[in-house]
Amino acid sequence: QEAAKYEKKVMVLDFVTPTPLGNSWGLGGTCVNVGCIPKKLMHQAALLGQALQDSRKYGWQFTEEVKHNWMTMTESVQNYIGSLNWGYRVSLREKNVTYENAYGEFVGPHTIKATNKRGIEKLYTAERFLIATGERPRYLGIPGDKEYCISSDDLFSLPYCPGKTLVVGASYVALECAGFLAGLGLDVTVMVRSILLRGFDQDIANKIGEYMEEHGINFIRGFVPIKEGTPGRLKVTAKSTTGNQVIEGEYNTVLLAIGRDACTRKIGLDKVGVKINERTGKIPVNDEEQTNVPYIYAVGDILQDKLELTPVAIQAGRLLVQRLYAGATGKCDYLNVPTTVFTPLEYGACGYSEETAVEKFGEENIEVYHSHFWPLEWTVPSRDNNKCYAKIICNIQDKERIIGFHVLGPNAGEITQGFAAAMKCGVTKEQLDSTVGIHPVCAEVCT
């Protein structure tokens, strides 16, 4: 859409290879269809359940039993996603972007083959190419995993309530899904190989784990599944990662969230000489998102050593097009990028984790200020006192400039977005201290 603004002749190829269970979706990529959008909406469904419980203490009286209907929720969520898919189609048409629902693969220099779902192939040539194929969920590689397990690609349109669920993994996808399933009243177990939320601040990650356990989510730590059973009643056998202990459990649904793999190995990159990291499938690029083949660029989750976040991909893509066609020079900043994990207790972060800050600047050069807090809304129903938490990491050598911001509590994303702007401007601890807090809100703990 950005390139079309500059009256370039643009084509989009977008094709979803169905999941092992046969699910696919419309225009808009992972985030819109099987990622951020349905995840946040289902997280909201779970928060509403908690709000209902709290409301009695606030004087709301209702006697009937409160139940959740999985089908009503998924239908509403899918209807909204459908409206987004439609909006993207209309928007591309309005901007005269040619859209083909076809799978693209390079077949030679400047040439791509597009195959639609009927198997009809067409060849196209272009001056430049932008690869933005993203990633898809990884499977365990054990007998029965693809037949009997689901992934996040299946969960948000699942035509039945998942029932007693085993979530395999400790990624943010695993914990978010486990969180909202438990919030909807399901029996949920999370099987963790080693640590929670690898790559995130571990102090916070452990607090999230504790909170989830206190709210009825079971954790099996240090185990990995070694075989699956049959749908409806799945018998899962798992082996300890440290010893020879083997355990078994029965579940209605097994959700795999053990990571994602870049969709780069089946798009003919070898035919045009684009280098990828053989181990991860990720594409190394320079600071202008250019691959080793000058006319081919890449953005998004498939980039090596970059952030896997939708708004980052959008920003990088727009800036790339502005450099190519509008004489701009702005490059994507991959450092101070805010993000939020929508676990039952939300986690917002921007900048360095404590571990990375210590590694980069040395323990003696950083100062960490932290505090637990209790949201006012939670005091009347008297729940979760001192479970919310905020911390800032400062670089002592640079006037205590804030290089890491972390908050654990309701609306963490809304809070983090504002502080992220301040961090882009180089905010220091002194400036934060001289900012007047808004009373009574959660964010004032940071001032």
Side-chain angles (χ1 to χ4, degrees):
Q1 295 193 41
E2 192 70 24
K5 276 188 199 170
Y6 305 108
E7 299 183 349
K8 296 291 161 189
K9 193 173 170 194
V10 187
M11 170 180 244
V12 174
L13 291 182
D14 170 85
F15 187 84
V16 180
T17 307
T19 71
L21 295 187
N23 289 315
S24 65
W25 45 87
L27 195 56
T30 298
C31 178
V32 167
N33 294 283
V34 288
C36 334
I37 298 288
K39 171 266 299 284
K40 174 96 188 272
L41 292 171
M42 291 190 178
H43 169 66
Q44 173 64 11
L47 291 183
L48 288 169
Q50 178 67 65
L52 273 171
Q53 291 175 39
D54 289 359
S55 71
R56 292 187 192 273
K57 272 281 187 354
Y58 280 102
W60 289 97
Q61 295 173 353
F62 47 93
T63 46
E64 74 279 8
E65 187 194 355
V66 178
K67 290 206 298 286
H68 183 264
N69 185 307
W70 176 269
M71 289 314 298
T72 306
M73 175 185 70
T74 42
E75 202 174 302
S76 305
V77 167
Q78 289 304 320
N79 286 344
Y80 175 64
I81 291 170
S83 74
L84 293 178
N85 299 145
W86 174 252
Y88 288 121
R89 300 268 323 237
V90 170
S91 187
L92 289 175
R93 192 175 304 136
E94 282 172 352
K95 294 180 175 65
N96 295 318
V97 173
T98 306
Y99 164 59
E100 284 255 359
N101 180 214
Y103 189 92
E105 49 194 314
F106 289 100
V107 288
H110 291 277
T111 310
I112 207 156
K113 177 177 81 175
T115 311
N116 72 10
K117 58 175 174 282
R118 292 194 300 282
I120 296 167
E121 298 177 356
K122 291 184 193 168
L123 291 180
Y124 295 101
T125 58
E127 178 190 16
R128 292 189 175 95
F129 293 87
L130 175 59
I131 307 168
T133 48
E135 300 185 299
R136 293 292 290 273
R138 187 176 302 151
Y139 281 79
L140 284 163
I142 63 171
D145 61 349
K146 289 188 170 159
E147 294 97 301
Y148 304 130
C149 300
I150 66 167
S151 72
S152 55
D153 282 355
D154 306 297
L155 178 66
F156 303 112
S157 58
L158 204 64
Y160 54 87
C161 176
K164 184 181 177 184
T165 301
L166 174 69
V167 178
V168 182
S171 59
Y172 73 90
V173 179
L175 298 187
E176 288 175 339
C177 293
F180 72 67
L181 291 173
L184 301 177
L186 303 181
D187 177 338
V188 177
T189 300
V190 181
M191 186 176 285
V192 179
R193 184 184 61 189
S194 54
I195 62 169
L196 299 181
L197 296 176
R198 187 179 301 281
F200 288 94
D201 190 281
Q202 284 301 293
D203 175 24
I204 304 268
N206 293 328
K207 283 180 160 50
I208 290 173
E210 281 166 28
Y211 183 90
M212 289 173 71
E213 280 192 271
E214 283 165 15
H215 285 74
I217 297 170
N218 311 305
F219 280 79
I220 299 175
R221 293 173 187 266
F223 277 83
V224 291
I226 53 175
K227 61 174 192 277
E228 302 294 357
T230 49
R233 292 279 291 279
L234 293 169
K235 181 173 171 185
V236 179
T237 308
K239 181 180 182 299
S240 166
T241 53
T242 49
N244 292 322
Q245 192 193 352
V246 171
I247 56 170
E248 288 182 347
E250 283 200 7
Y251 304 91
N252 301 113
T253 301
V254 179
L255 170 66
L256 299 183
I258 55 170
R260 297 168 66 86
D261 292 321
C263 300
T264 54
R265 298 188 196 270
K266 294 179 182 168
I267 55 171
L269 294 183
D270 50 328
K271 305 266 198 318
V272 281
V274 172
K275 285 197 177 78
I276 64 169
N277 178 319
E278 278 311 321
R279 190 179 61 81
T280 62
K282 297 222 169 191
I283 303 178
V285 292
N286 64 14
D287 65 351
E288 299 199 330
E289 286 78 41
Q290 189 174 38
T291 70
N292 64 303
V293 177
Y295 65 89
I296 299 177
Y297 298 82
V299 296
D301 290 12
I302 54 170
L303 297 190
Q304 182 172 300
D305 304 325
K306 297 283 191 278
L307 298 162
E308 301 178 2
L309 297 165
T310 301
V312 171
I314 293 171
Q315 172 109 308
R318 286 196 175 138
L319 291 171
L320 166 62
V321 168
Q322 288 161 13
R323 288 193 303 272
L324 290 175
Y325 302 130
T329 55
K331 292 174 187 173
C332 188
D333 169 13
Y334 290 96
L335 193 59
N336 277 325
V337 177
T339 187
T340 298
V341 178
F342 290 95
T343 33
L345 194 56
E346 296 172 18
Y347 167 31
C350 184
Y352 292 100
S353 68
E354 193 173 332
E355 293 82 8
T356 319
V358 167
E359 208 176 289
K360 190 169 169 68
F361 301 98
E363 189 150 14
E364 67 287 357
N365 294 322
I366 67 161
E367 188 71 79
V368 178
Y369 297 89
H370 62 132
S371 174
H372 287 90
F373 63 97
W374 197 16
L376 182 67
E377 315 70 299
W378 293 6
T379 57
V380 167
S382 65
R383 68 176 168 96
D384 298 316
N385 189 357
N386 274 347
K387 288 290 181 270
C388 297
Y389 180 67
K391 77 172 172 185
I392 57 166
I393 300 157
C394 303
N395 181 355
I396 296 170
Q397 301 297 322
D398 187 7
K399 298 184 184 150
E400 285 210 319
R401 193 167 65 81
I402 296 167
I403 56 170
F405 174 90
H406 302 270
V407 64
L408 197 54
N411 308 299
E414 312 295 353
I415 296 170
T416 307
Q417 184 72 74
F419 286 105
M423 285 173 69
K424 292 278 279 189
C425 301
V427 67
T428 63
K429 175 68 165 70
E430 190 186 0
Q431 288 170 325
L432 206 55
D433 288 343
S434 69
T435 302
V436 176
I438 301 171
H439 190 66
V441 299
C442 291
E444 72 175 318
V445 71
C446 305
T447 62

